[in-house]
């Protein structure tokens, strides 16, 4: 009896193993190749291996340049072999790969050429300032110039014999391993000195941006006081600093923006304020000490180490940001690549000067195919959804705007709730119940049987005679592979549903979903890796899970063509 049971058990285990091996092969067949299934078609990335921070974006002699942190040896991070990758484009959409701009070759950068920026000097020559890691693993600031500035491709760069230009020392109390990522430099008009910021931190987890000054761009002296600092927020890396016109006109005044990437939480925050040119300090309208939750972010999903540049030809400031993976490292190794860049965004100040508006660069629209979905004034009843058919759902650009009425039926916002949008959006938070006005929005990368989907939606709340609009990107059901990060993201959108349409624009590109709410007032980028809703098996829907009807004012959807990304030039 025991022998019979044992044989049956062995047979069952063999059969079970065969079935699961077969299921695995079906799931990971030639139609499901980790490299190709999740590889974006119009987001920037190198042809293979690891990528992180964007560095030194610029326009030079008719070409756009992007440099980036790159590990040429593999698909995972390395703290010793990071180089500056380099690509060029005529349109910020189609990119061609060039030789590495900077590689670890000198004692001051032998353990990696880390992040930095480009500054145009008075002779209009682009000059790189970058962080190197020396043989003692100390972080140093260094300079490189083009070997041939007349070459629009800038294929070769020469490191200065004066390097390193800035080093951590005991006297200035700089942490030798927290001293990195110089910004684009600027000239002080009252003294003619160059100024640059470097990210750092002090004891007690105090984040600081250090200011250095130089007359000749070679010899730099640290200012007596930090440019900006905040307690208990940790390392401020990848700082960025730039002026912005209010309402697009000098007549309305200028504000300055300081962006910092907080290492401890891996988010990019930006502060709008005043630059005191006499004291050389930044004074934000709202700082971190007041309420960290009120400090604005470029993006409330996966978006980090961002960098902007001013496009003088098209009179716009363009934002780049790194989007990392949500898959496990073993899958990244199998894919052979890790990390992409978000679609470049044009940014500007809103008319009140209180927040930045972001929108995908207009050039990305030339990848749109002829629109075949163009709906107007369609009522979307509660507890309903409909499919947007005839669109390549895994590679699409969708714009939708809603009109809401019956605002008195919106769910009341309980003052005892934690006012964290990500918490409100998550299923664990369970605050944004499917009653009243919302959730309503888009269901992207959905499988036919609805086992997998990602929801991008709004939920409207009543609070103190006003209304609060919550925007969510819910990845909790995005993949049957639960080894992935399935975090749900959320943001409050500064719109008034009494007067404003609630709009979402979503760019879907296989494993990345970039969503812009309220015409660019809130942005959420997600990485998702469905196992069923892939390629032509993906579906796209509009849904209303609330109990109150909403109206679709307008819906337009396009399939997106594949861009040329880093072909050999």
């Amino acid at each position: 009896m025991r022998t019979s049971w044992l044989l049956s058990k062995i047979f069952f285990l063999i059969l079970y193993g065969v079935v699961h091996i077969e299921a695995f092969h079906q799931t990971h067949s030639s139609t499901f190749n980790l490299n190709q299934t999740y590889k974006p078609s119009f987001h920037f990335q190198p042809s293979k291996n690891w990528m992180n921070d964007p560095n030194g974006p610029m326009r030079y002699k008719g070409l756009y340049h992007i440099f980036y942190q790159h590990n040429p040896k593999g698909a995972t991070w390395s703290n010793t072999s990071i180089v500056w990758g380099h690509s060029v484009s005529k349109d910020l959409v189609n990119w061609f790969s060039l030789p590495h701009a900077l590689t670890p070759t000198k004692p001051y950068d032998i353990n990696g050429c880390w992040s930095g920026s480009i500054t145009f000097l008075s002779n209009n020559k682009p000059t790189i300032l970058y962080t190197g890691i020396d043989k003692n693993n100390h972080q140093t600031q260094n300079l490189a110039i083009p070997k041939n500035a007349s070459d629009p491709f800038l294929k070769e760069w020469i490191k200065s014999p004066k390097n390193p230009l800035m080093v951590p020392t005991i006297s200035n109390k700089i942490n030798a391993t927290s001293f990195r990522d110089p910004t684009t430099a600027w000239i002080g008009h009252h003294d003619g000195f160059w100024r640059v910021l470097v990210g750092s931190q002090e004891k007690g987890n105090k984040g600081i941006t250090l200011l250095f000054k130089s007359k000749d761009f070679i010899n730099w002296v640290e200012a007596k006081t930090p440019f900006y600092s905040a307690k208990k927020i940790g390392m401020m890396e990848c700082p960025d600093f730039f002026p912005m016109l209010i309402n697009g006109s000098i007549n309305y005044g200028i504000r300055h923006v300081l962006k910092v990437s907080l290492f401890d939480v891996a988010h990019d925050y930006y502060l709008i304020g005043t630059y005191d040119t006499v004291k050389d300090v930044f004074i934000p309208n709202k700082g971190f000490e007041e309420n960290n939750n009120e400090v604005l972010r470029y993006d409330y999903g996966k978006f980090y180490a961002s960098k902007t540049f001013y496009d003088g030809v098209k009179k716009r400031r363009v934002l780049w940001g790194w989007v990392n993976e949500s898959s496990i490292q073993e899958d990244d190794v199998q894919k052979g690549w890790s990390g992409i860049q978000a679609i470049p965004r044009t940014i500007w100040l809103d008319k009140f000067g209180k927040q930045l508006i972001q929108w995908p660069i207009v050039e990305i629209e030339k990848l749109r195919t002829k629109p075949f979905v163009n709906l107007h004034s369609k009522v979307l009843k509660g507890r309903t959804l409909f499919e947007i058919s005839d669109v390549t759902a895994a590679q699409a650009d969708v714009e939708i705007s809603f009109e809401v009425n019956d605002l008195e039926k919106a769910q009341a916002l309980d003052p005892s709730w934690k006012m964290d949008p990500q918490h409100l959006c998550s299923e664990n938070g369970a605050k944004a119940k499917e009653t009243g006005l919302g959730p309503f929005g888009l269901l992207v990368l959905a499988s036919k049987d609805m086992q997998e989907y990602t929801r991008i939606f709004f939920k409207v709340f009543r609070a103190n005679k006003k209304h609060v609009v919550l925007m969510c990107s819910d990845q909790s059901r995005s993949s049957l592979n639960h080894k992935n990060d399935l975090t749900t993201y959320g943001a409050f959108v500064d719109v008034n549903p009494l007067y404003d349409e609630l709009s979402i624009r979503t760019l879907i590109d296989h494993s990345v979903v970039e969503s812009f709410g309220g015409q660019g007032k809130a942005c959420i980028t997600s990485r998702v890796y469905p196992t069923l809703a892939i390629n032509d098996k993906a579906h796209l829907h509009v849904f209303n899970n609330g109990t109150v009807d909403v109206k679709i004012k307008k819906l337009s959807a396009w399939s997106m063509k594949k861009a040329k990304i880093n072909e050999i030039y």
Side-chain angles (χ1 to χ4, degrees):
M1 192 68 182
R2 182 171 178 80
T3 304
S4 175
W5 176 86
L6 185 59
L7 289 173
S8 298
K9 185 71 172 177
I10 293 171
F11 176 77
F12 171 78
L13 289 173
I14 293 172
L15 178 62
Y16 182 84
V18 169
V19 168
H20 275 69
I21 290 170
E22 179 62 27
F24 179 85
H25 282 302
Q26 288 177 1
T27 305
H28 293 76
S29 65
S30 59
T31 61
F32 193 99
N33 179 288
L34 276 179
N35 186 318
Q36 296 301 321
T37 297
Y38 299 134
K39 199 173 186 68
S41 289
F42 53 89
H43 282 74
F44 179 90
Q45 64 179 156
S47 59
K48 62 181 180 179
N49 295 331
W50 169 275
M51 176 181 67
N52 56 300
D53 308 3
N55 298 150
M58 65 171 175
R59 184 170 185 153
Y60 185 68
K61 293 186 179 296
L63 290 175
Y64 292 104
H65 292 249
I66 182 68
F67 303 86
Y68 52 91
Q69 296 283 275
H70 180 48
N71 177 13
K73 298 180 180 179
T76 59
W77 165 254
S78 167
N79 62 355
T80 59
S81 59
I82 293 297
V83 306
W84 272 43
H86 184 195
S87 297
V88 294
S89 171
K90 292 182 179 179
D91 57 8
L92 288 172
V93 175
N94 299 286
W95 292 89
F96 301 92
S97 180
L98 292 175
H100 298 146
L102 299 173
T103 59
T105 58
K106 302 292 184 180
Y108 51 78
D109 67 8
I110 197 62
N111 283 318
C113 299
W114 284 23
S115 295
S117 305
I118 282 182
T119 300
F120 286 93
L121 301 187
S122 54
N123 57 5
N124 205 36
K125 179 184 291 186
T127 302
I128 291 175
L129 284 175
Y130 72 100
T131 297
I133 308 296
D134 69 15
K135 60 184 180 180
N136 298 314
N137 284 320
H138 292 175
Q139 297 174 6
T140 65
Q141 312 314 317
N142 308 286
L143 182 148
I145 60 173
K147 183 176 182 179
N148 178 10
S150 64
D151 173 19
F153 297 97
L154 300 174
K155 291 181 180 179
E156 296 183 73
W157 293 80
I158 301 172
K159 297 173 185 177
S160 171
K162 300 291 186 178
N163 288 340
L165 306 186
M166 292 166 260
V167 296
T169 64
I170 296 176
S171 60
N172 59 18
K173 298 180 181 179
I174 294 174
N175 186 330
T177 60
S178 300
F179 177 57
R180 55 184 178 266
D181 313 331
T183 64
T184 297
W186 71 95
I187 293 180
H189 295 297
H190 65 284
D191 61 8
F193 277 70
W194 286 100
R195 288 156 169 78
V196 70
L197 303 180
V198 178
S200 189
Q201 66 177 345
E202 291 180 345
K203 291 181 179 180
N205 216 30
K206 182 179 182 180
I208 55 176
T209 51
L210 303 170
L211 178 72
F212 288 81
K213 300 180 185 180
S214 174
K215 189 68 175 178
D216 58 5
F217 220 80
I218 297 293
N219 300 288
W220 294 86
V221 177
E222 184 188 354
K224 293 181 179 179
T225 57
F227 190 70
Y228 176 73
S229 64
K231 298 177 181 177
K232 298 180 179 180
I233 63 169
M235 176 68 193
M236 287 183 176
E237 60 181 359
C238 301
D240 196 15
F241 181 66
F242 50 89
M244 294 294 285
L245 296 174
I246 298 176
N247 212 21
S249 172
I250 190 67
N251 297 325
Y252 293 91
I254 297 176
R255 293 289 184 273
H256 280 80
V257 176
L258 174 65
K259 187 279 304 186
V260 291
S261 300
L262 297 188
F263 180 81
D264 288 357
V265 294
H267 297 314
D268 277 13
Y269 293 83
Y270 71 88
L271 305 129
I272 299 172
T274 303
Y275 171 32
D276 186 330
T277 57
V278 176
K279 296 181 179 179
D280 264 328
V281 295
F282 177 72
I283 306 167
N285 297 338
K286 286 185 179 180
F288 282 99
E289 283 83 359
E290 296 173 27
N291 186 343
N292 289 4
N293 290 331
E294 293 184 4
V295 179
L296 296 168
R297 285 164 53 181
Y298 281 143
D299 194 294
Y300 291 82
K302 285 186 173 290
F303 188 91
Y304 193 64
S306 59
K307 183 73 67 176
T308 66
F309 76 99
Y310 184 70
D311 182 353
V313 174
K314 296 202 172 183
K315 310 298 181 186
R316 60 182 176 178
R317 183 160 289 274
V318 178
L319 169 69
W320 283 88
W322 169 46
V323 182
N324 68 327
E325 303 297 314
S326 292
S327 50
I328 61 174
Q329 191 174 89
E330 290 81 358
D331 282 354
D332 295 342
V333 171
Q334 190 175 347
K335 285 186 302 187
W337 54 270
S338 177
I340 64 173
Q341 299 294 330
I343 296 300
R345 304 171 183 178
T346 304
I347 62 173
W348 64 94
L349 270 178
D350 75 337
K351 62 182 179 181
F352 302 109
K354 65 178 183 178
Q355 76 172 104
L356 290 170
I357 308 298
Q358 305 170 66
W359 202 245
I361 53 166
V362 68
E363 290 91 334
I364 202 71
E365 295 176 15
K366 68 183 183 179
L367 294 180
R368 291 172 170 175
T369 61
K370 189 175 182 180
F372 39 77
V373 176
N374 196 4
L375 299 179
H376 294 269
S377 299
K378 178 182 176 63
V379 174
L380 189 62
K381 293 187 175 296
R383 311 298 197 196
T384 62
L385 83 162
F386 73 90
E387 183 167 6
I388 305 173
S389 56
D390 299 325
V391 64
T392 306
Q395 195 171 308
D397 186 356
V398 186
E399 295 189 38
I400 187 168
S401 60
F402 298 93
E403 180 183 285
V404 296
N405 297 302
D406 298 326
L407 286 166
E408 70 281 358
K409 295 181 181 178
Q411 183 181 356
L413 194 63
D414 191 323
S416 69
W417 291 349
K418 182 181 178 181
M419 289 298 100
D420 178 345
Q422 183 167 343
H423 180 75
L424 289 173
C425 286
S426 74
E427 290 185 353
N428 293 328
K431 302 301 184 183
K433 296 179 180 178
E434 297 189 345
T435 59
L437 277 168
F440 56 87
L442 296 170
L443 212 63
V444 308
L445 295 175
S447 62
K448 185 177 181 180
D449 56 6
M450 291 295 176
Q451 289 189 68
E452 294 178 332
Y453 54 77
T454 295
R455 300 195 306 170
I456 315 297
F457 65 86
F458 289 123
K459 172 77 177 178
V460 182
F461 294 94
R462 287 183 290 111
N464 298 324
K465 298 183 179 180
K466 67 177 184 178
H467 294 88
V468 175
V469 177
L470 178 70
M471 176 181 169
C472 304
S473 179
D474 178 4
Q475 283 75 242
S476 62
R477 298 286 299 274
S478 64
S479 178
L480 295 180
N481 181 357
H482 291 171
K483 292 181 179 180
N484 297 324
D485 177 7
L486 304 179
T487 300
T488 288
Y489 306 116
F492 293 123
V493 189
D494 186 20
V495 294
N496 187 337
L498 277 171
Y499 311 107
D500 302 326
E501 295 177 4
L502 302 183
S503 68
I504 298 173
R505 180 179 178 186
T506 295
L507 292 166
I508 308 159
D509 194 4
H510 297 279
S511 64
V512 57
V513 180
E514 285 190 73
S515 299
F516 301 80
Q519 294 296 312
K521 289 185 175 180
C523 307
I524 303 178
T525 299
S526 307
R527 299 302 304 277
V528 295
Y529 313 91
T531 63
L532 303 174
I534 61 172
N535 300 324
D536 60 354
K537 300 292 192 301
H539 297 263
L540 175 64
H541 303 266
V542 180
F543 77 96
N544 178 11
N545 281 4
T547 54
V548 179
D549 298 351
V550 298
K551 179 187 285 187
I552 299 173
K553 289 279 290 184
K554 184 179 180 181
L555 186 155
S556 300
W558 298 263
S559 292
M560 296 288 278
K561 293 180 288 187
K562 181 179 174 63
K564 295 178 180 179
I565 303 293
N566 277 327
E567 296 180 359
I568 302 300
Y569 194 82

